[in-house]
Amino acid sequence: MPLMEWGDGLQVAVIVALAAVGTCLLVVGAFGSGALCFGVAALWFWRLYRTGE
């Protein structure tokens, strides 16, 4: 039995990518867009984590 389904791994990769884009946007001063990316990543991670329980 696999530790993680491929769909879950893909979702984690997208969450990490959103966090990276959010970081880049915050570094260049686009605070609204960076915060939005972090918010989406946090909500998505929370929903993925809650589904696994």
Side-chain angles (χ1 to χ4, degrees):
M1 185 154 181
L3 191 63
M4 182 186 294
E5 296 289 331
W6 72 271
D8 292 340
L10 181 63
Q11 288 186 58
V12 170
V14 172
I15 291 168
V16 169
L18 278 171
V21 168
T23 301
C24 291
L25 289 170
L26 288 174
V27 166
V28 299
F31 299 114
S33 298
L36 181 67
C37 283
F38 273 123
V40 169
L43 284 173
W44 196 347
F45 178 76
W46 179 76
R47 288 182 52 100
L48 185 64
Y49 173 74
R50 296 288 292 168
T51 304
E53 285 185 354

